[in-house]
Amino acid sequence: MPDLTPRQLAKLPLTDRHLTRHERRNLAVVLRCFVGYSAMYQQMGVNWDWASAVEKH
């Protein structure tokens, strides 16, 4: 499968099915990591203002 750009990924349709138990566990791990890294970077003084400049189409 070729790599997709963020713009291409954003255009993909969302599924209307429920996540499997395995998918929910994977999502929980990813979200915990994101929250942990976000907190760590904020403690290091990283400015997250760049995120509001990202195109959200």
Side-chain angles (χ1 to χ4, degrees):
M1 180 173 178
D3 289 336
L4 299 175
T5 66
R7 187 175 295 238
Q8 291 169 320
L9 286 171
K11 290 181 181 179
L12 292 175
L14 296 175
T15 181
D16 62 354
R17 68 175 178 80
H18 294 286
L19 296 176
T20 66
R21 179 178 295 171
H22 185 76
E23 290 170 326
R24 287 193 308 266
R25 288 179 185 161
N26 286 344
L27 180 58
V29 168
V30 170
L31 291 175
R32 277 195 302 269
C33 288
F34 175 78
V35 169
Y37 277 108
S38 296
M40 179 182 71
Y41 286 125
Q42 286 176 343
Q43 290 171 357
M44 292 170 41
V46 174
N47 185 346
W48 289 98
D49 290 341
W50 62 268
S52 63
V54 174
E55 189 175 337
K56 296 181 176 109
H57 293 301

